[in-house]
Structures are given as C-alpha cells and as structure tokens.
Amino acid sequence: MTRTSRTARVSRTARTARTSGMTADAVLPGGLRVRAAHAPGAPLAELRLVIPYARTEPALAAAQELLAACLGTGARDRSGRNVSRQDIADRAADLGAEFSTVVTAESLILSVSVLAPGLPGVLGLLADLLERPRYDEGELALARRRAAAAPRLPAPRVRLRRAALAHGFGPHPLTAEAGGTAPLLDVVSLRAEDLHALHARAVVPGGSSLVVLADEEPDAVLRAVGERLSAWTGGPSGLTLPSFAHPEPRPGRVRLTDGSGRGAGPEDEAGHDGDGGGQALVLSVGPAVPTADARHAPFHLAQLALGGYASARLAQRVRDRHGLAYAVSAGLRETGAGSWLEIACAGAPGRADRLADEISGCLRELAAEGPSPREVERARAYATGFTRFALATRAEEASALAGFTAVGLEADWLEEYRARLADVTAAEVAEAAASHLDPDRMVTATYEPRPAAPAPSAGRPAAPAPSRRPEPVSVPGPGPAPAALRRHPSDDLRHQKGALR
C-alpha cells in the first residue's frame, strides 16, 4: 500500500480527509471518525460502527444492558413516521442487508453487511436508528423478560479474571464484582424514557468511529457517509475505561473457591463460560508491551513461543508431558485501561496449585534461557500466517480495520507489522522474554471447585448448598515491579445477532 501525505477536502460535511492508497479518512462535524477502504470487486459492503460504551457507571448498567438489546427495534424516519421492528427488517431485506450488535467491556459495535448497491440505503437506515430512535414499550417488555431469564452471576472463569486484575491493578470497573451487570430489579423497572435518555448521551458520534469497506472509491464513500450522517451530533459520552491505577500488575497469589461443586467449562463462542464439569482453573497476569509500541513484535513472538499455539512450550509441559491441563493459552489482552499478558489453564479438580507451579517453572525457564532458534522461527511463521488467515474474508478484514481505527492505528499497520516480524532477531525475543516473562512479576490466581455434596441417603433430604459468593483471598507476593502497558479486546462479550431482522 502506497502512503501519501496529501490532505484533501472530501465534502462540505467532512472537516478534512486524508487519503492513503486504498483508504481515505475523514472527521464529520459531529466528531465521527470515518475510514473508507476500497475492496475491488467485493459484492458486499461491510460497515463497522464502534461506539464507546464502557460500563463505568453502576447507575447506568441496567439501561446499557437493555439499550443494547433494543437498539434497532424502532425509529422514526425523516418524515416523522414511526418505524417498527418489522418495517426495519423489511427495509433491510429489500437492501440485502444484515445487522448485528456486539457489546464488549468498552464498546457497542454495530456491524452491517449489505449488497454493494444497497450501501446508500443502509447509511440512510443507520441514520434513522442513530438520530431518531424509538424504544417501544412492547419491545422493552420483551427485552426485560429475556434479561430476567438470563443468568445474572458471572461464571468462575470471569470471576477469576476479575480477582486477578483486582489484585494486580487495584479497584477498576473491569475488576468490580458485578462487572457492569445490573441487578435484575433495576432492569425490570426501566422505562422507555430511560433508554431515550441514555441513547442521547451514549449513542453519539463524538468519540465513535465508522469503517466502510466497499467496492467504491473511498472519496465517494466518504461523501455518501457525510450526506447521511452529518446531522448526527452529540458526545463524547465519557463512557470510556479509565487507566489502571498501576502501570503493571502487583505480583502475588489469589485463590478463589466456591461451594457449588461446579467449576467453569470451556468458553462458548460469545466468550461466556459454559457449565462444564468442575474444572480447576489457573490464570496468571503479567506485564506486556502494547500493540502500538515499537517493541511489541519481539514480545509477541516470546508470548507465542510460551503459549500462543497448540505446540508451544507451556502446552507441551503441562498438557503433553504432565497431563495436568485440558486447555492452555497465553495471549495479550488490551483495553483502554491497559495491557497485560494473560496465561490461562484448565485442568481436573485438585490440580490448580500444581498447574500454577508448572506455569511458574516454565516462565522462569523461558525468561532465563530465551526461546530456542527453532521456537522463534515457528512463532514468527505462526504470527505471519495469522495476519493473513485472520483476514481471510471481507467481514474479518472490516472488523480488523475497525479495531485499528478505534485505537488510533493506521490502516496499513498490519502490513508494516509483518515487515517488523520478519526483522526481529532471536536475541530481541530472548530480551523480551527476560523482561516480561519473569514469574516474580506476575499475579497468579487459582480456582478450585469444592467437591459436590454426596447424594443423600434414601429418605433423608440433601443439605442446602451454601448461597454465599466465592471470596478471593489475596496472598502477598514480592513487591511491585516496573514496566509499561496498554490496549486489546476484553472480558465478557455479549453477541446479539440479527437485532434488526
């Protein structure tokens, strides 16, 4: 991709635009950042709208939950006519479009796939939903019933992460016990006017970004977006995650238990824990190098060599050699709060402490010796391949581009990153491992499910299960250690498909 520095005026509705080969960027008067990317020959246009939506204010948690479920179920068109869910679904079908919403720990993301000729119509429909929403009491009642039927308590894997982050980084919205989940009484008592008030504050262009990937010239796409969304105003909402109190985690140990006799099962596709069969869990949190940092590539390869793929060193040690774990992973997590390395293992009950010891031993060995040349080359090949196959479809490409845009990375960041991966030396990877994989700089959290109560004898009732919440117990570790951090996906992910069908 060839980069140019020229600044062009795209339309009267956009303040400025920067073009760069196959992309063009603009900022609309309301503050919406727009990035248009050219996808030659693509039969579909892909749109991704990312709106700051962090659950930082407990008083808003119930309204945030229901607004995400009800967005797109009603609107008023430009003539002032009320538009129902069915009207919206019919209009989307006529355009050949599918809408969905995703809520993460810090964003509300609207995704649209539409046949290329339907792009102008979809932008008009999007304008109706964003600028003139309608939250009907019937739709709200349906959302309240669904919320009442959904589990309210977080699963062990989620609680373990919160406990580890709380010990490592201190009090924060990501570490709150409720994690942004509203009490059911608050949810069922909401009215339509509450959602309209939150929409006016939160669903705003200030601080938001829109990516459009289409088989049209980027400048033409920017003009189309400006014509239809220039009247959308408001924000920023302030619903963004604050930075962690500490730049890197405070080392130590955390133990989490409960009396349910059930542990956390494998994560499902939406990022929630299944019921599972009472697994022991271990989660270690350590310092990391953020994606945008020039030193990220060596750290990335060290992290992959540790536990980034099925044959990485940690998996060979705890799963293949010792048979302690069913699932092993190590990856970077990034949010607006900060960045951290997260190592996760799940195994049979009673093995959490042994797993934690083996993780520490593997980290200490890798930090002291560094990965072997073969491990470095395997990690490099995996990372380079992933940057290709993770973008195998236009939809994945649009989502990745939206992620880069939301955190301020350039459109061609991934191409430049491939070149950086190729240039990393084994010595640089060893240095990154020594700096960031020291177990004495990590907080390690373990979860052990208590054994289920034995079946009652005939004629004797079972003892009631304890109802109190699990309590994390912090065990002091070595003092805080230095380093630097920042951003990536996070915690719970709620996926509401087909909200506009």
Side-chain angles (χ1 to χ4, degrees):
M1 189 179 294
T2 305
R3 174 163 299 281
T4 66
S5 60
R6 73 182 180 88
T7 300
R9 182 168 294 279
V10 173
S11 70
R12 293 179 183 178
T13 57
R15 288 207 293 264
T16 61
R18 184 176 69 254
T19 62
S20 174
M22 297 173 68
T23 67
D25 296 346
V27 180
L28 301 189
L32 178 67
R33 291 174 292 149
V34 184
R35 174 166 287 170
H38 189 209
L44 296 176
E46 298 285 347
L47 295 81
R48 301 291 184 271
L49 176 64
V50 181
I51 300 170
Y53 205 66
R55 298 185 288 277
T56 55
E57 300 179 26
L60 293 179
Q64 284 182 280
E65 181 176 342
L66 287 198
L67 186 148
C70 295
L71 182 64
T73 60
R76 289 185 301 279
D77 62 20
R78 294 193 177 191
S79 69
R81 182 179 69 91
N82 285 341
V83 180
S84 68
R85 176 198 287 264
Q86 187 61 53
D87 296 329
I88 294 168
D90 289 343
R91 191 168 160 192
D94 290 341
L95 295 167
E98 181 180 52
F99 286 68
S100 64
T101 62
V102 171
V103 180
T104 74
E106 56 185 344
S107 301
L108 172 63
I109 305 171
L110 279 72
S111 299
V112 187
S113 300
V114 61
L115 291 171
L119 178 58
V122 153
L123 289 170
L125 176 55
L126 199 56
D128 289 345
L129 300 176
L130 297 171
E131 298 171 24
R132 294 172 294 279
R134 182 169 167 265
Y135 295 104
D136 181 77
E137 280 294 347
E139 295 289 351
L140 189 53
L142 178 62
R144 284 196 293 259
R145 288 198 296 273
R146 288 174 175 164
R152 310 302 294 175
L153 292 178
R157 196 183 309 267
V158 176
R159 297 201 305 272
L160 190 66
R161 177 177 293 124
R162 291 176 187 162
L165 293 178
H167 178 98
F169 295 110
H172 189 273
L174 288 180
T175 69
E177 187 178 5
T181 302
L184 184 57
L185 184 61
D186 291 354
V187 173
V188 299
S189 64
L190 282 174
R191 294 292 175 259
E193 53 266 29
D194 300 316
L195 297 198
H196 281 287
L198 177 61
H199 188 112
R201 174 184 170 182
V203 186
V204 290
S208 301
S209 60
L210 172 68
V211 162
V212 183
L213 184 68
D215 182 22
E216 279 195 52
E217 288 300 319
D219 286 358
V221 171
L222 290 184
R223 284 193 295 271
V225 172
E227 288 166 4
R228 290 160 180 83
L229 293 180
S230 61
W232 186 32
T233 58
S237 67
L239 298 177
T240 56
L241 289 176
S243 297
F244 285 134
H246 312 299
E248 70 165 35
R250 179 171 62 95
R253 287 290 290 266
V254 176
R255 292 187 177 89
L256 191 70
T257 59
D258 71 17
S260 67
R262 285 169 40 189
E267 290 190 347
D268 64 26
E269 291 180 357
H272 296 292
D273 296 89
D275 284 340
Q279 294 179 344
L281 303 174
V282 180
L283 188 138
S284 293
V285 170
V289 179
T291 301
D293 194 299
R295 301 166 301 152
H296 175 73
F299 167 79
H300 185 194
L301 296 186
Q303 166 251 306
L304 289 175
L306 170 68
Y309 44 85
S311 62
R313 186 179 293 202
L314 183 61
Q316 290 187 36
R317 179 167 179 153
V318 301
R319 186 193 62 205
D320 303 340
R321 190 187 313 164
H322 297 299
L324 293 172
Y326 313 131
V328 182
S329 66
L332 173 68
R333 284 191 172 259
E334 297 188 286
T335 70
S339 301
W340 64 94
L341 172 66
E342 185 170 296
I343 304 164
C345 291
R351 294 185 172 182
D353 286 340
R354 171 78 188 281
L355 267 172
D357 291 342
E358 291 295 338
I359 291 170
S360 293
C362 187
L363 286 166
R364 200 174 303 281
E365 180 183 275
L366 198 56
E369 302 171 2
S372 69
R374 181 173 176 77
E375 286 177 310
V376 171
E377 290 310 312
R378 182 175 291 141
R380 191 196 316 275
Y382 182 87
T384 303
F386 187 82
T387 63
R388 300 284 185 186
F389 65 71
L391 306 180
T393 68
R394 296 295 189 190
E396 289 167 334
E397 188 177 351
S399 296
L401 193 57
F404 298 156
T405 303
V407 300
L409 296 176
E410 296 294 338
D412 61 355
W413 177 85
L414 199 56
E415 288 189 20
E416 295 177 355
Y417 186 63
R418 290 189 195 109
R420 287 201 293 275
L421 285 173
D423 292 339
V424 173
T425 66
E428 289 173 323
V429 178
E431 183 181 350
S435 298
H436 294 89
L437 301 186
D438 181 353
D440 294 334
R441 299 178 64 188
M442 296 192 176
V443 52
T444 296
T446 58
Y447 167 83
E448 281 285 8
R450 290 180 185 162
S457 306
R460 295 182 62 184
S467 58
R468 65 184 183 86
R469 280 180 171 272
E471 297 179 2
V473 180
S474 294
V475 180
L485 304 160
R486 266 204 106 96
R487 124 169 11 243
H488 195 286
S490 77
D491 233 75
D492 327 79
L493 190 72
R494 224 175 288 148
H495 197 152
Q496 297 149 337
K497 269 257 189 196
L500 306 184
R501 288 182 188 172

